């Protein structure tokens, strides 16, 4: 692998007595789409949240795009602009319009004028197919539309990496497709993506690599076909067996 | 029956008495308005400042804030007024009745509004903080642009209630010789042996606070947004 754009080594995370991450190494190459799967409580989300330091790792190192995320001298707010994050519950700001949601960080963090932030914000909404919803508040949008606005909010900042934390888990089944569609087009544009999700179909045809986590460790990883068809470990086999019954 | 009504009107709404003491009541209204404005502006500003400080999560500071807030929430406002008016002279400060009442009620309003703002801030979902911080907004930017606008919406109804309740406490100023509405009305009542001035005072309070209630409703609808 060339110099990885995300390089996490030896990550440990304790929540009190709970040992949630037990020495996780994750290296992701530029333009790679890595899918992280595993049973709930396996530490997938915590791993993702350690990468942009929403969660402070107990030990280990995280370097993203050459920036040491855990160095106290790192301007974390500046660094986070390079790492987009999409959440299960969308977390749109309910008191702002879709465009307001997308442009807030452009204005406050990237220092754009209102006019240029609006132009960039509209372009980002266009990319997720919601240019006509710019003036709507989150309450006026469907779950799928809200999640696409949330994606626009991240990509407007032109991040180097996008983290997706179960982006479709809170959606009604008929709305999942529109979000996956946006993720697929992001992938085609060359975005580096780390996705925690149970959308195995999407993993199969879009992921470069699937990482299986259990009990705070990476059990195995490899191309989707290998992990899904010929898992090396019993735990992986039983997990994949369980989710494929649905 | 007729005689009874006449006697009632003569006692409580005596035109002659009312006319005579109208100027006194009006000057009381001016004092009450001044006092109320001072209390509301300083009390709410101080309460918001304390809530913002508390959100920084510095533990010893938070204990101090909670201590102060709980103290002034539990003390009866009258006690605070008396303590300041009669107690501060012993440390060579002699606040006037007006200043004592203002300070006391502002402290009480500060305590209650801090709790209300704090409840508003903590009621904003953690995901809002995380989403904002993940886009690179600082703690302060997130607080100002994302959290407070949502918190304010929830704080307006309880804050209005508290503000009105505490501002009505300006009547306690009579105890320390503040010539606000109630003070004026009760001295007029003892001078005229007639409770009509008190009725005027009551009317003055309604006229004063009614617009506040209406304004609060307007602000409430303005801050509302569709979920």
């Amino acid at each position: 692998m060339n110099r990885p754009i995300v390089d996490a080594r030896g990550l440990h995370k304790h929540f009190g007595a709970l040992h949630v991450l037990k020495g996780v190494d994750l290296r992701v190459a530029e333009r790679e789409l890595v899918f992280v799967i595993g049973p709930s409580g396996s530490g997938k989300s915590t791993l993702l949240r350690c990468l942009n330091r929403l969660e402070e790792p107990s030990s280990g190192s995280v370097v993203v795009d050459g920036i040491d995320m855990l160095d106290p001298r790192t301007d974390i707010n500046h660094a986070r602009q390079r790492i987009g994050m999409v959440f299960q519950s969308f977390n749109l700001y309910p008191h702002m319009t879709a465009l307001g949601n997308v442009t807030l960080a452009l204005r406050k963090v990237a220092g754009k004028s209102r006019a240029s932030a609006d132009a960039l914000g509209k372009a980002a909404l266009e990319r997720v197919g919601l240019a006509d919803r710019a003036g709507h508040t989150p309450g006026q949008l469907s779950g799928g539309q809200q999640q696409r606005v949330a994606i626009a909010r991240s990509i407007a900042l032109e991040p180097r990496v996008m983290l997706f934390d179960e982006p479709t888990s809170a959606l009604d089944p008929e709305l999942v497709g529109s979000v996956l569609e946006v993720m697929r087009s992001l992938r085609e544009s060359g975005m580096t993506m780390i996705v925690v999700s149970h959308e195995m179909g999407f993993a199969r045809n879009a992921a470069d690599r699937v990482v299986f986590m259990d009990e705070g460790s990476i059990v195995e990883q490899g191309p989707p076909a290998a992990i899904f068809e010929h898992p090396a470990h019993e735990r992986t086999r039983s997990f994949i067996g369980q989710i494929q019954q649905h | 029956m007729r005689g009874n009504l006449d006697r009632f009107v003569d006692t409580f709404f005596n035109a002659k008495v009312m006319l005579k003491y109208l100027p006194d009541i009006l000057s009381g209204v001016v004092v009450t308005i001044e006092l109320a404005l001072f209390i509301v502006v300083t009390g709410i500003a101080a309460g918001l400042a304390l809530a913002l400080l508390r959100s920084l999560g510095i533990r010893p500071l938070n204990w101090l804030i909670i201590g102060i807030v709980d103290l002034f929430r539990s003390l009866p406002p009258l006690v605070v007024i008396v303590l300041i008016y009669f107690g501060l002279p012993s440390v060579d400060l002699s606040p006037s009745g007006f200043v004592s009442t203002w300070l006391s009620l502002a402290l009480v309003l500060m305590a209650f509004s801090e709790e209300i703002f704090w409840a508003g801030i903590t009621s904003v979902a953690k995901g809002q903080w995380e989403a904002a911080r993940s886009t690179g907004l600082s703690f302060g930017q997130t607080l100002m642009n994302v959290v407070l606008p949502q918190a304010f919406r929830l704080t307006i109804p309880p804050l209005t209630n508290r503000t009105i309740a505490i501002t009505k406490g300006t009547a306690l100023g009579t105890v320390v010789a503040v010539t606000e509405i109630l003070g004026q009305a009760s001295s007029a009542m003892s001078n005229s042996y007639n409770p009509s001035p008190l009725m005027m005072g009551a009317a003055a309070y309604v006229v004063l606070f009614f617009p506040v209630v209406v304004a609060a409703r307007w602000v409430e609808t303005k801050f509302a947004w569709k979920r």
Side-chain angles (χ1 to χ4, degrees):
Chain A
M1 192 183 290
N2 299 328
R3 195 188 73 156
I5 191 159
V6 173
D7 192 349
R9 291 176 197 223
L11 282 185
H12 283 267
K13 177 67 188 175
H14 299 267
F15 289 112
L18 221 59
H19 198 176
V20 183
L21 290 182
K22 299 171 184 168
V24 173
D25 295 299
L26 182 69
R27 246 144 282 165
V28 179
E30 217 164 317
R31 306 173 80 91
E32 194 181 14
L33 194 163
V34 174
F35 227 80
V36 183
I37 61 172
S40 69
S42 58
K44 308 169 299 226
S45 286
T46 307
L47 169 61
L48 216 54
R49 294 157 58 85
C50 282
L51 297 181
N52 67 352
R53 232 175 103 191
L54 274 187
E55 219 66 81
E56 201 74 41
S58 305
S59 63
S61 71
V62 178
V63 178
V64 177
D65 198 19
I67 299 173
D68 181 351
M69 296 296 288
L70 304 183
D71 186 335
R73 287 165 300 181
T74 297
D75 178 352
I76 190 70
N77 296 324
H78 189 259
R80 278 179 179 150
Q81 282 182 78
R82 298 163 184 243
I83 311 170
M85 187 162 201
V86 173
F87 301 84
Q88 179 176 356
S89 48
F90 327 137
N91 299 347
L92 291 182
Y93 316 132
H95 58 299
M96 293 182 188
T97 62
L99 187 62
N101 269 274
V102 178
T103 54
L104 181 65
L106 284 170
R107 289 190 291 124
K108 303 288 174 184
V109 186
K112 307 277 185 200
S113 68
R114 184 175 280 276
S116 75
D118 281 356
L120 290 168
K122 281 177 184 152
L125 285 172
E126 178 91 57
R127 280 182 74 183
V128 300
L130 290 173
D132 56 334
R133 296 285 192 278
H136 291 231
T137 58
Q140 297 167 323
L141 300 172
S142 74
Q145 290 171 333
Q146 289 189 54
Q147 192 60 298
R148 283 147 65 199
V149 172
I151 294 173
R153 176 169 67 183
S154 288
I155 60 175
L157 292 162
E158 297 184 355
R160 302 296 317 277
V161 187
M162 286 282 291
L163 312 176
F164 291 84
D165 191 2
E166 307 212 17
T168 56
S169 302
L171 294 175
D172 290 335
E174 76 272 20
L175 302 176
V176 170
S178 67
V179 171
L180 294 182
E181 200 43 57
V182 168
M183 290 172 68
R184 195 163 284 133
S185 82
L186 256 185
R187 155 114 189 101
E188 277 155 17
S189 75
M191 179 68 76
T192 308
M193 295 160 74
I194 305 176
V195 182
V196 169
S197 167
H198 299 292
E199 299 295 337
M200 295 305 151
F202 185 71
R204 247 176 234 278
N205 47 45
D208 297 300
R209 173 156 56 114
V210 174
V211 172
F212 174 67
M213 281 185 75
D214 193 19
E215 292 178 356
S217 306
I218 292 177
V219 176
E220 65 178 302
Q221 50 186 312
I227 296 290
F228 288 127
E229 311 309 335
H230 312 288
H233 289 259
E234 177 50 38
R235 281 189 284 175
T236 318
R237 205 171 300 139
S238 91
F239 175 75
I240 286 167
Q242 276 165 17
I243 51 170
Q244 280 178 344
Q245 281 165 9
H246 310 300
Chain B
M1 198 63 202
R2 184 79 220 175
N4 278 348
L5 185 65
D6 282 346
R7 198 166 340 128
F8 177 80
V9 171
D10 197 46
T11 308
F12 287 96
F13 298 96
N14 189 310
K16 234 166 78 187
V17 175
M18 285 178 134
L19 210 59
K20 184 173 172 201
Y21 289 101
L22 183 63
D24 287 356
I25 299 291
L26 286 181
S27 83
V29 167
V30 173
V31 173
T32 297
I33 291 178
E34 282 173 357
L35 199 47
L37 282 179
F38 277 35
I39 293 166
V40 170
V41 170
T42 51
I44 291 182
L48 179 59
L50 284 189
L52 294 182
L53 276 180
R54 193 172 167 184
S55 71
L56 295 176
I58 304 165
R59 212 168 269 179
L61 183 65
N62 284 5
W63 288 333
L64 185 69
I65 292 171
I66 294 168
I68 292 171
V69 163
D70 286 354
L71 179 69
F72 284 106
R73 286 201 305 162
S74 43
L75 283 175
L78 182 61
V79 173
V80 184
I81 293 174
V82 169
L83 275 177
I84 289 184
Y85 186 70
F86 294 106
L88 283 191
S90 60
V91 288
D92 280 343
L93 285 167
S94 315
S96 64
F98 184 92
V99 170
S100 301
T101 311
W102 163 32
L103 269 182
S104 310
L105 296 180
L107 284 171
V108 174
L109 182 57
M110 169 192 82
F112 279 101
S113 57
E114 189 280 336
E115 276 304 294
I116 293 169
F117 283 127
W118 179 246
I121 290 172
T122 51
S123 72
V124 174
K126 195 161 150 268
Q128 293 286 310
W129 282 99
E130 293 181 344
R133 297 304 307 272
S134 79
T135 60
L137 289 167
S138 67
F139 176 87
Q141 286 173 325
T142 303
L143 192 63
M144 298 313 280
N145 295 287
V146 175
V147 176
L148 281 186
Q150 297 183 54
F152 279 149
R153 173 177 169 268
L154 300 159
T155 58
I156 288 162
L159 199 57
T160 316
N161 287 338
R162 264 304 150 191
T163 302
I164 291 171
I166 289 165
T167 335
K168 276 193 291 195
T170 47
L172 295 170
T174 38
V175 177
V176 289
V178 180
T179 52
E180 45 67 63
I181 297 175
L182 189 70
Q184 293 287 11
S186 49
S187 60
M189 187 165 69
S190 30
N191 290 336
S192 64
Y193 304 106
N194 184 290
S196 300
L198 199 60
M199 296 296 108
M200 293 167 81
Y205 277 112
V206 172
V207 169
L208 261 183
F209 285 104
F210 195 68
V212 178
V213 180
V214 173
R217 288 224 187 287
W218 178 78
V219 177
E220 245 171 85
T221 50
K222 207 172 175 291
F223 268 82
W225 62 83
K226 287 200 181 94
R227 277 261 163 206

